[in-house]
Each structure stands twice: as C-alpha cells, then as structure tokens.
Amino acid sequence: MEKKRLLSTVLVTSLVAMGFSTFTKAPTVQAQSQQTVSPQKEWEFVFDHGMNKELIVNKGIYIKNSKEQIISTKIHIKDDHTVIVKPPVKGYRSGETYRLYIKKGIDLQYGESGKPAMIVFKVK
C-alpha cells in the first residue's frame, strides 16, 4: 500500500513539474505602450546588424486580434536590414486591438539571446 502511495505521489509530482517547466519555457514578451493607428498601418522594422530572413519567412513576425487569432498579413523583406508588415487586404478593423509579435532570433545582433517583442495597437 505504501509503495503505491509513494509511486502515485512521485508520478503526480513529476507531471506537475513537467507542466510547470513547459510553462516557464514560454517566451517572455515585453509589451510597449499601446498606440492608435490607421486601418492601413504598415509597420517597418530596421535591424542595424541584419535579420534572420528564414525566421521571418517562417512566421517570426505575426499579428493576433483581440480573440487571439492570427490574422493574415503580408511580410515584405525590403532589404538586408528592413522588413515591412503590411495590413490585411481590407485593413485592420476600426476599434479593434491587435498585438504584433516579433520572435526572438530575428535580430542578428542578439540572435537567440535576444528577447521577443510585442507591440499592442488599437485601430482608429
């Protein structure tokens, strides 16, 4: 009986620890102050030391609406240092709040040691 109890305790503790460690490995996102933008806002980001184009192409920059759904936008790599995030075809919805995410590793100056970023914006 004691072996079963000990085994159950170890199993539950292990599962909780695994779940917690998975949770704590999630990227830390630093929010900037909220901005109000036009429905046709284009975001331009310049990386002085270059950028990881492969990561950008593989959804390294994306936007979510207030329902946490990724919205369809086009990412345009202008040159070796500049990326432009185009608005959705019909524009952003007025009154809606969005979050633009930039995963860590895009800025070649910092690579994987860099931090992810998030910009919160509301549409006029």
Side-chain angles (χ1 to χ4, degrees):
M1 178 89 166
E2 270 187 58
K3 283 185 177 183
K4 286 183 180 179
R5 190 176 198 176
L6 180 62
L7 183 59
S8 295
T9 303
V10 169
L11 181 61
V12 169
T13 304
S14 297
L15 290 173
V16 169
M18 283 176 20
F20 182 71
S21 68
T22 302
F23 177 74
T24 58
K25 290 180 185 176
T28 305
V29 178
Q30 297 178 346
Q32 298 178 0
S33 61
Q34 182 173 319
Q35 303 175 35
T36 303
V37 302
S38 77
Q40 295 300 319
K41 170 70 175 168
E42 286 188 1
W43 296 94
E44 183 171 302
F45 300 98
V46 178
F47 300 93
D48 293 337
H49 297 276
M51 58 190 170
N52 182 335
K53 293 178 187 176
E54 185 178 330
L55 185 57
I56 290 172
V57 171
N58 290 314
K59 305 203 185 307
I61 298 176
Y62 58 95
I63 298 176
K64 286 186 173 183
N65 62 17
S66 59
K67 295 176 184 175
E68 293 297 312
Q69 300 166 323
I70 294 178
I71 63 165
S72 179
T73 58
K74 292 198 181 214
I75 308 295
H76 172 68
I77 297 175
K78 184 176 176 181
D79 57 39
D80 288 342
H81 300 277
T82 310
V83 64
I84 298 171
V85 181
K86 303 271 188 178
V89 174
K90 294 182 180 180
Y92 298 106
R93 292 181 64 193
S94 291
E96 179 93 29
T97 299
Y98 296 88
R99 287 181 174 76
L100 185 148
Y101 294 89
I102 302 174
K103 290 183 177 179
K104 73 177 185 173
I106 287 182
D107 190 335
L108 291 182
Q109 179 178 4
Y110 303 106
E112 284 299 314
S113 67
K115 293 183 179 178
M118 178 181 64
I119 299 172
V120 178
F121 63 98
K122 185 172 183 168
V123 181
K124 292 179 189 175

